[in-house]
Amino acid sequence: MGFIHAGSNKVIREGKYAVSKKEYPGKSYPPYACGAGYILGHSIVEYAERKLLDGTLKTLSMEDVSVGVWVASAKKSGIPVNYTHSWSFHWRDGRRRCGKDAVIAHPLKDPALMVCMWKKEQRGMENICC
């Protein structure tokens, strides 16, 4: 569960999020959760741990994409995977979720903003955006 980025997940070869062909040879990434976080089932985590330890899977430069690759590998191996998209995990400009069901964690938000949001949450306000 998370904010599932699926569809056109083209691998970027230049710029801030560039990934070399050696690191990831594919042209596009499998679905992956991005944003404030994600939730994985125990069987997927055990599979990824086992495959990371034996060298079958590796960690890419982007953690969210890495987890997506691991989940896709688990799915190929026969482990049931249910991608559950949740707006609660989404936190990007223009589409902010600040209600009671929001998971808010973002490195670009300053501490004063987070304190303001927390105070609104403590007062029981539905819209905690500041």
Side-chain angles (χ1 to χ4, degrees), residues 27-76:
K27 291 183 179 182
S28 63
Y29 298 120
Y32 62 91
C34 60
Y38 43 83
I39 299 169
L40 300 173
H42 187 261
S43 58
I44 293 171
V45 173
E46 280 187 329
Y47 171 86
E49 177 188 31
R50 191 171 57 254
K51 295 299 183 179
L52 284 162
L53 290 173
D54 75 12
T56 307
L57 291 176
K58 61 183 178 176
T59 302
L60 304 174
S61 59
M62 294 177 291
E63 152 273 326
D64 50 2
V65 174
S66 292
V67 175
V69 170
W70 304 340
V71 170
S73 178
K75 185 176 181 179
K76 273 186 178 177

Side-chain angles (χ1 to χ4, degrees), residues 60-127:
L60 304 174
S61 59
M62 294 177 291
E63 152 273 326
D64 50 2
V65 174
S66 292
V67 175
V69 170
W70 304 340
V71 170
S73 178
K75 185 176 181 179
K76 273 186 178 177
S77 78
I79 295 173
V81 173
N82 178 19
Y83 293 99
T84 305
H85 181 77
S86 173
W87 280 96
S88 296
F89 289 87
H90 192 57
W91 185 258
R92 292 211 177 151
D93 292 338
R95 292 180 274 175
R96 291 189 176 130
R97 297 275 305 178
C98 298
K100 292 279 185 197
D101 63 340
V103 175
I104 300 170
H106 200 285
L108 302 178
K109 304 303 171 204
D110 66 65
L113 178 65
M114 298 302 282
V115 169
C116 173
M117 293 170 76
W118 177 249
K119 286 179 179 178
K120 285 184 170 188
E121 169 68 25
Q122 292 301 298
R123 289 192 298 251
M125 300 174 77
E126 284 294 320
N127 182 354

